[in-house]
Amino acid sequence: MTEFYQLTREEVIEELQTDPAVGLSEEEARRRLEKYGPNELKEGEGINPWKILLSQFTETMVVVLIIAAVISLLLREYVDAVAILAIVVMNALLGFRQEYQAEQAMAALKKLAVPTVRVRREGHVKEISAREIVPGDVVLLEAGNTIPADLRFVEVANLRAQEAALTGESEPVVKQAATIDRDAPLAERTNMGYFGTTVTFGRGVGVVTGTGMNTELGSIATLMQSTGYEPTPLQRRLNQLGKALALVALVLVIIVALMGVARGQELLTTFEAAIALAVAAVPEGLPAVVTIALALGARRMLTRKALIRKLPAVETLGSVTVICSDKTGTLTENRMTVTVVDVAENRVDLTQNQPRLGFYTAAGPCEASEPSEEHRKTLHDFPALSLLLAGGSLANDAVLECEEGRPGTYHVVGDPTEGALVVAAARVGLQKELLEKVFPRVAEAPFESDRKRMSTVHRMPALSEIPESLKGAWDWERWQEVPYVVFTKGAMDSLLSVSNRVWVEDRFEPLNEEWVGRIEASNRQLAESGMRVLGVAVRALDELPDEVSPESVETDLIFVGLVGMIDPARAEVKDAVATCKTAGIRPIMITGDHPLTARYIAQELGIASGADQNGGPRVMTGQELENISDEELEEVVGSVNVFARVSPEHKLRIVDALQKKGHIAAMTGDGVNDAPALRKADIGVAMGITGTDVSKEAADMVLLDDNFATIVAAVEEGRTIYDNIRKFIRYMLSANAAEVWIMLVAPLIGMPLPLLPLQILWINLVTDGLPGLALGVEKSEPNTMQRPPHPPNESVFARGLGWSIIWVGVLMGSVSLGVGWWYWQQGAPIELVRTMVFTTIVLSEMFYVLSIRSSLFSLFQIGIFSNRALLGAVVLTLLLQLAVIYLPFMNVIFETTPLTPQDLLVSVVFGLVLFAALEIEKWIKRQRQPQTAAAAA
């Protein structure tokens, strides 16, 4: 593959068979359009709604239910079959409604394409559809244009492009036309322009090198199409559970059938018993209850500014072990901010003063305000700071637009770096509008990438017009005879090359080798902190040249000082990172930005990793990733928490390596470049405000407030939901175990069928379903975020759940069957025996669900009324059970008989046996874990 950024201008022209001065002929353009196709992103195969619907019927547990319904139909048990099929259909519709999302990621990518573009063809400038662009076309660009294809610049004039969405670079990239004779990552290919990025400043001419899917944006589209979705931990666990239950049901059916044959039962009776046992073994309501619980969790997350796009993501958050976060706009504010000013080795850290308004005025950058006393003192101690910031604001084309009626609310129009200088000056009382009135601009030497600086010429004001905050920085009386003043800003080395003096306090000294060494050392220190560093210089001008040029005004400058700026970390993120670590979640920064910047932000936020030779956190670059194998990367991801200068392919490799190491990986991001990794990750988290449409469509969850801290709240909610899912799995399977125990033991003691299939279905769907749903809104257990996440490969029966299901099921089944056996021994009709077994097991479950709300604390400690939804579900279930017992038409359907008050009381008393046993078990736990119980309380 040709790397056009490494070719000379002449080699590019020869390779693409074009001429920048003339462009392609129309005939050649048509030929290339036929060869390369239109300049658009091709959509992969979208998700068919019917496929989504059919997928709802493929889970193991649902397949078992469908088989049970078919067998019921064959046995002419139509009521049973209809009830089972109804729950299957309801579950499918719920899942379909939540999962049906049109594949809009490709459509979002297409929005980045421009409808028309200016090209040079046959020596004339024409405006054509962007779809008709072909390799070799000569494209003319200016500020505000979206770049219509990948291209190699052959001419530039102060051109800068915003590439944050593609590369992660937080500030516009200065473009140039020179050859880059080394392997460079995407963000450092400064002679290239990329499809979908935007020109923010200047103008240029480029030759198209790639269109459509053969662009960097097209590569991302290809990655997205080839990257499948990973099954979530819950999906894996429930699938394993479904297979296990299907196997158990099959084994039990075979056992019951063999027992029936051995005892000489009629074939139909044997089949009925086997089907009843199969129905008892499978928790028919579980798929629907899980789906509804996840939907309720998604609704709660929405109130916490987290929009769930894919339902299983609700629980996946609770299992996350690593969060891979983009830096720009996610961990940082995505706004360049001046943080340090350095004048003659007198350095002021604005971030330290900012909270106390020590250096900044109390007013915001949009409000004129007299400096505070502390502000005046700072300026008095370092008077040249005012000159430095005023110069940075005046030699500047950015403008602040303040919103009326919203104090302190503004946005920068122009280059973000220049905007940061304007904001910094305004916040010390030097609003640009005021400065330009006092120092009207009369000429300028614009920024050029070759000289790396710009200068503006201003008329010198009268002494009475000079702002109070500037008077101490300059001997204005001595300079009143000078008609003009020049302010120059740019790269430090560029300014030093045209300066011969340095400003020290209220005077200037010769710029000797000692001063040059000091300034270079300061510049190096700031750069190593990940900052972008600019210098400011000044000079008096006796007369205005006829033609202002760099040569005429940028000589004999007085070097004033340095300004360090950075895209600062969000204030709330540091606490969020700390909370993640407490919860056993490892944060990892993956960014396209500079390694020094990444290291600085990582240190500030506490995203630590192995130390490098400088003692800071180890940072691995994209170039280093290119040189290691996937196996080596799997080892590296265990110790490196900061990756810089990475491409979309690198992000995918990192996420894949983490998943192969057994991690549940979340990936946050807001740019186009994040989309493939968002899709590959176990859970993709996009930014709702700054995020591109592409990233949102690829994500499982969208943060509506772009707040990294919201992820922490969502993780807590996810853990709570998973805990609650385990509670109602425990609840449902315990009831199923009780039913199975009853159906197995009854024939052994000579009893007739103690529960009919429809009665078992009623228990599994209504008695289990309604309270099970209410368990889904149970509050978090204590210390939810003070424990590590559960292992991703953990069985759903882990941590004693399997044993609990067995002993509770045996106890509940034995008590219920014991009641029925006693009535049967007394000669009671079979309808009464079944009704007593039926009612006793239902009442046992109602007391049981109230007890398992907490695994440690008594129901009376957490409060009977603290989950009103559950209490309401229990009451409703009891009323429905009474209807089944006492309404005549329900007696016919369920083959029950009304109970006397004495019979009902017997069921209530024996139903309390399990509740008492569980409360005793929790009391014993509290005695064994007094510290845990006390801390949680």
Side-chain angles (χ1 to χ4, degrees):
M1 178 181 175
T2 304
E3 295 290 3
F4 286 96
Y5 71 92
Q6 294 180 329
L7 302 183
T8 65
R9 182 179 187 273
E10 291 71 24
E11 289 171 336
V12 170
I13 293 169
E14 183 179 352
E15 178 75 21
L16 294 169
Q17 295 294 297
T18 188
D19 182 350
V22 179
L24 299 175
S25 67
E26 291 293 348
E27 182 181 348
E28 177 64 15
R30 279 195 296 272
R31 189 185 67 79
R32 295 189 185 189
L33 186 62
E34 290 177 3
K35 178 179 179 181
Y36 297 105
N39 179 35
E40 61 185 7
L41 299 175
K42 298 177 182 178
E43 295 190 34
E45 183 183 357
I47 292 181
N48 188 306
W50 291 106
K51 289 184 179 179
I52 297 177
L53 184 61
L54 290 174
S55 69
Q56 307 301 313
F57 298 98
T58 59
E59 293 182 8
T60 307
M61 199 174 298
V62 176
V63 171
V64 171
L65 291 180
I66 294 172
I67 293 172
V70 171
I71 294 174
S72 295
L73 284 172
L74 294 175
L75 295 175
R76 298 185 179 182
E77 297 289 344
Y78 299 118
V79 176
D80 295 8
V82 169
I84 295 173
L85 289 175
I87 199 68
V88 168
V89 171
M90 185 182 76
N91 177 70
L93 292 176
L94 282 169
F96 174 80
R97 183 185 174 205
Q98 292 293 335
E99 292 182 20
Y100 177 51
Q101 297 287 346
E103 284 288 284
Q104 295 173 332
M106 295 308 304
L109 279 169
K110 283 187 170 183
K111 291 178 184 178
L112 294 175
V114 290
T116 60
V117 63
R118 291 193 306 143
V119 299
R120 189 173 286 148
R121 284 186 180 174
E122 298 182 338
H124 301 287
V125 176
K126 298 182 177 181
E127 193 169 272
I128 65 172
S129 168
R131 294 182 71 257
E132 298 173 10
I133 291 285
V134 296
D137 258 326
V138 179
V139 179
L140 283 64
L141 297 167
E142 60 186 19
N145 289 162
T146 298
I147 297 178
D150 283 6
L151 51 83
R152 167 69 152 80
F153 288 111
V154 293
E155 296 176 26
V156 293
N158 307 324
L159 191 143
R160 302 177 203 176
Q162 178 57 264
E163 299 178 346
L166 187 66
T167 66
E169 188 74 51
S170 57
E171 56 184 288
V173 178
V174 176
K175 295 297 183 179
Q176 48 92 22
T179 303
I180 299 173
D181 56 358
R182 59 182 174 83
D183 289 335
L186 195 67
E188 295 178 8
R189 299 174 187 177
T190 53
N191 56 10
M192 297 291 294
Y194 296 109
F195 185 16
T197 60
T198 305
V199 177
T200 61
F201 190 82
R203 57 185 175 79
V205 177
V207 177
V208 174
T209 59
T211 58
M213 298 300 285
N214 296 318
T215 62
E216 292 295 332
L217 199 62
S219 298
I220 293 175
T222 302
L223 282 174
M224 289 179 64
Q225 292 172 6
S226 62
T227 303
Y229 289 105
E230 294 290 318
T232 71
L234 182 63
Q235 287 173 324
R236 289 193 288 264
R237 288 164 180 155
L238 289 182
N239 195 41
Q240 292 168 357
L241 176 62
K243 290 177 180 177
L245 291 176
L247 182 61
V248 168
L250 180 62
V251 170
L252 291 176
V253 166
I254 292 172
I255 290 173
V256 169
L258 292 175
M259 288 171 59
V261 171
R263 295 175 60 198
Q265 284 183 340
E266 293 183 7
L267 190 59
L268 182 60
T269 303
T270 301
F271 261 113
E272 285 182 344
I275 290 300
L277 194 59
V279 171
V282 178
E284 288 84 359
L286 183 58
V289 169
V290 169
T291 302
I292 294 170
L294 293 175
L296 292 174
R299 184 178 299 177
R300 289 200 302 275
M301 285 186 177
L302 186 59
T303 66
R304 303 179 80 165
K305 303 297 184 182
L307 173 65
I308 301 298
R309 294 191 64 252
K310 298 178 177 68
L311 202 56
V314 175
E315 179 274 335
T316 310
L317 276 163
S319 304
V320 161
T321 58
V322 291
I323 298 176
C324 302
S325 176
D326 187 37
K327 178 187 71 68
T328 305
T330 308
L331 298 174
T332 65
E333 295 179 1
N334 197 19
R335 181 167 64 186
M336 293 299 290
T337 303
V338 174
T339 57
V340 173
V341 286
D342 187 299
V343 182
E345 294 189 320
N346 290 316
R347 184 174 297 179
V348 175
D349 187 339
L350 302 186
T351 61
Q352 298 300 315
N353 287 282
Q354 200 167 334
R356 302 195 311 271
L357 300 171
F359 185 66
Y360 287 157
T361 61
C366 290
E367 304 166 72
S369 174
E370 284 298 315
S372 66
E373 285 303 316
E374 190 172 0
H375 171 217
R376 290 178 189 276
K377 182 178 183 303
T378 305
L379 294 180
H380 181 270
D381 293 340
F382 308 108
L385 288 176
S386 296
L387 187 63
L388 175 67
L389 292 172
S393 184
L394 286 167
N396 196 313
D397 292 324
V399 176
L400 288 188
E401 286 197 356
C402 303
E403 298 185 22
E404 293 185 13
R406 299 181 66 189
T409 304
Y410 63 90
H411 65 274
V412 173
V413 178
D415 183 80
T417 299
E418 291 197 323
L421 294 171
V422 175
V423 170
R427 298 195 69 174
V428 300
L430 298 172
Q431 280 77 16
K432 185 171 184 178
E433 186 178 354
L434 167 66
L435 288 172
E436 290 186 333
K437 285 181 180 178
V438 177
F439 297 92
R441 184 188 297 192
V442 295
E444 64 183 283
F447 175 86
E448 292 176 356
S449 57
D450 291 340
R451 47 186 246 279
K452 299 179 182 178
R453 59 182 182 267
M454 75 170 288
S455 298
T456 53
V457 183
H458 303 263
R459 184 174 288 108
M460 182 69 73
L463 193 60
S464 60
E465 297 174 340
I466 297 169
E468 188 68 31
S469 54
L470 275 179
K471 285 186 176 178
W474 189 282
D475 187 357
W476 296 105
E477 292 185 8
R478 194 175 80 185
W479 288 68
Q480 280 299 291
E481 300 300 321
V482 179
Y484 302 101
V485 61
V486 178
F487 290 105
T488 304
K489 80 169 192 309
M492 179 274 302
D493 53 349
S494 171
L495 281 184
L496 288 182
S497 68
V498 291
S499 300
N500 60 8
R501 290 161 292 175
V502 60
W503 195 266
V504 183
E505 296 180 355
D506 58 352
R507 67 189 188 282
F508 46 81
E509 296 182 1
L511 184 63
N512 54 30
E513 290 185 7
E514 180 184 354
W515 271 115
V516 170
R518 290 182 183 183
I519 293 168
E520 289 177 342
S522 294
N523 180 78
R524 187 165 52 252
Q525 289 173 3
L526 294 176
E528 288 174 352
S529 296
M531 296 187 186
R532 171 114 192 256
V533 186
L534 292 177
V536 175
V538 67
R539 66 161 290 189
L541 197 63
D542 293 324
E543 61 179 356
L544 192 65
D546 293 335
E547 184 176 339
V548 173
S549 65
E551 294 75 17
S552 62
V553 296
E554 293 178 352
T555 59
D556 301 330
L557 299 181
I558 305 168
F559 189 87
V560 179
L562 299 171
V563 177
M565 63 190 77
I566 199 168
D567 179 14
R570 291 176 177 267
E572 68 279 359
V573 170
K574 189 170 185 178
D575 289 341
V577 168
T579 303
C580 282
K581 289 184 174 182
T582 302
I585 300 168
R586 180 177 155 220
I588 298 176
M589 179 193 294
I590 306 178
T591 178
D593 218 333
H594 196 281
L596 290 175
T597 306
R599 176 185 286 114
Y600 177 82
I601 296 296
Q603 285 178 311
E604 186 176 354
L605 294 177
I607 303 176
S609 61
D612 61 11
Q613 63 269 26
N614 298 317
R618 182 185 174 192
V619 179
M620 175 166 275
T621 65
Q623 283 182 304
E624 291 177 278
L625 285 172
E626 290 284 354
N627 297 324
I628 62 175
S629 65
D630 289 343
E631 291 72 23
E632 290 172 315
L633 180 57
E634 287 180 35
E635 297 304 315
V636 166
V637 293
S639 59
V640 177
N641 288 349
V642 184
F643 295 86
R645 285 290 192 238
V646 295
S647 68
E649 291 86 353
H650 297 148
K651 293 185 179 186
L652 271 179
R653 286 186 65 199
I654 293 167
V655 171
D656 187 55
L658 287 166
Q659 290 174 333
K660 286 179 179 177
K661 294 290 285 185
H663 286 287
I664 300 298
M667 170 73 188
T668 74
D670 59 357
V672 176
N673 61 334
D674 297 322
L678 288 175
R679 177 171 287 192
K680 172 65 177 173
D682 295 282
I683 176 164
V685 184
M687 303 296 113
I689 299 174
T690 60
T692 60
D693 288 343
V694 182
S695 64
K696 293 175 189 174
E697 294 301 331
D700 303 285
M701 183 176 87
V702 179
L703 301 182
L704 300 181
D705 58 359
D706 282 16
N707 192 337
F708 184 87
T710 302
I711 298 175
V712 180
V715 167
E716 181 178 8
E717 191 70 51
R719 289 188 176 188
T720 300
I721 289 167
Y722 178 58
D723 288 345
N724 289 343
I725 287 175
R726 276 175 54 90
K727 286 175 186 175
F728 59 71
I729 286 177
R730 177 186 179 188
Y731 171 61
M732 287 185 169
L733 294 189
S734 295
N736 283 75
E739 295 159 8
V740 168
W741 182 253
I742 290 171
M743 302 303 292
L744 281 176
V745 173
L748 298 178
I749 60 176
M751 283 184 67
L753 203 62
L755 287 172
L756 298 174
L758 191 58
Q759 292 171 343
I760 295 173
L761 268 179
W762 175 267
I763 295 170
N764 290 356
L765 298 180
V766 179
T767 306
D768 292 353
L770 292 176
L773 281 175
L775 274 177
V777 297
E778 188 65 40
K779 294 179 182 178
S780 302
E781 289 275 3
N783 302 324
T784 297
M785 294 299 286
Q786 279 74 50
R787 60 169 172 81
H790 299 306
N793 56 355
E794 176 186 86
S795 165
V796 75
F797 298 112
R799 290 175 281 130
L801 183 62
W803 166 245
S804 174
I805 289 170
I806 292 171
W807 81 258
V808 168
V810 170
L811 178 59
M812 188 190 305
S814 298
V815 169
S816 302
L817 184 61
V819 170
W821 182 83
W822 189 83
Y823 272 79
W824 180 61
Q825 289 292 310
Q826 302 303 311
I830 187 60
E831 290 81 5
L832 177 59
V833 172
R834 287 172 176 162
T835 304
M836 287 300 298
V837 174
F838 185 28
T839 304
T840 304
I841 195 172
V842 167
L843 291 173
S844 294
E845 285 194 54
M846 293 303 96
F847 293 122
Y848 176 47
V849 77
L850 291 173
S851 180
I852 63 169
R853 286 178 53 198
S854 172
S855 61
L856 187 63
F857 293 99
S858 165
L859 172 64
F860 307 104
Q861 288 178 298
I862 62 176
I864 296 175
F865 298 99
S866 56
N867 186 341
R868 295 181 182 276
L870 179 59
L871 192 61
V874 168
V875 171
L876 178 59
T877 303
L878 290 175
L879 291 175
L880 291 172
Q881 183 65 21
L882 292 175
V884 170
I885 297 171
Y886 293 108
L887 293 181
F889 78 93
M890 297 288 272
N891 294 151
V892 174
I893 295 172
F894 287 92
E895 298 184 39
T896 55
T897 186
L899 299 178
T900 64
Q902 293 83 356
D903 293 335
L904 190 59
L905 182 61
V906 169
S907 288
V908 170
V909 170
F910 281 94
L912 281 167
V913 170
L914 178 59
F915 178 81
L918 287 166
E919 290 298 310
I920 292 170
E921 180 196 36
K922 289 193 286 185
W923 179 83
I924 294 171
K925 281 185 181 179
R926 291 196 297 275
Q927 304 312 305
R928 291 176 177 174
Q929 307 173 38
Q931 292 181 339
T932 303

